[in-house]
Amino acid sequence: MSVPASLAEIVDDFAALGDSDKVTLLLEFAGELPELPAELTTEAMEPVPECQSPVFLSVDAHDPDAVRLYFSAPREAPTTRGFASILHQGLDGESAQTILDVPADFYYDLGLGKAVSPLRLRGMAGMLGRIKAQVRRQTGTGPQAPAGPTG
């Protein structure tokens, strides 16, 4: 299992910082989460109940060589929004197989364990697990594992 270059770069950026600067970078990511396209509403998206805040995601894997990811996370939840933005920037446009190969616990490499609660980190794992489950369903790739942190 490995992470794509775009996600590895984000992990490296976090690894190079002290704890307080990691939080600042996470908040910067929160501000960079793209808005949803006009034709996509949260009602048509999958909720991520593992997150403490109301987060929704949508995966478009009709082209398995360039999977598109969409997230909706409230601005009032910058940590969760930051995690969604990291996943978006690190995985959007990657191939289905590349996304499936990302380790379920890659987020530990961000080094946010001291700055963010374990419950919030599990929310990021939940997002990744649900992304992988949708990729599997849409592409028929790999086992049909349940969504969640182990997905």
Side-chain angles (χ1 to χ4, degrees):
M1 291 190 150
S2 62
V3 298
S6 52
L7 189 56
E9 183 178 332
I10 293 169
V11 169
D12 289 346
D13 288 346
F14 274 92
L17 300 173
D19 288 341
S20 64
D21 291 332
K22 287 178 184 179
V23 171
T24 300
L25 183 57
L26 183 61
L27 296 177
E28 288 176 16
F29 271 96
E32 297 171 359
L33 184 65
E35 295 296 323
L36 291 176
E39 68 276 4
L40 188 59
T41 64
T42 56
E43 292 80 16
M45 301 172 76
E46 179 178 359
V48 183
E50 295 88 352
C51 292
Q52 290 182 305
S53 303
V55 175
F56 299 87
L57 66 86
S58 180
V59 176
D60 179 354
H62 81 275
D63 178 357
D65 293 324
V67 175
R68 300 304 317 262
L69 304 176
Y70 304 96
F71 295 89
S72 173
R75 293 196 181 278
E76 306 81 47
T79 301
T80 304
R81 192 173 169 85
F83 288 155
S85 183
I86 288 169
L87 291 171
H88 182 268
Q89 290 185 40
L91 299 177
D92 186 54
E94 294 291 342
S95 72
Q97 192 58 56
T98 297
I99 291 170
L100 293 173
D101 287 344
V102 172
D105 63 353
F106 90 92
Y107 57 88
Y108 284 119
D109 295 336
L110 295 171
L112 288 165
K114 292 180 182 174
V116 177
S117 75
L119 188 59
R120 291 206 182 273
L121 288 173
R122 281 194 296 275
M124 186 176 209
M127 285 185 233
L128 180 60
R130 289 177 182 283
I131 290 167
K132 287 183 174 191
Q134 283 199 29
V135 166
R136 285 185 190 105
R137 277 192 297 275
Q138 293 180 36
T139 63
T141 307
Q144 298 298 312
T150 58

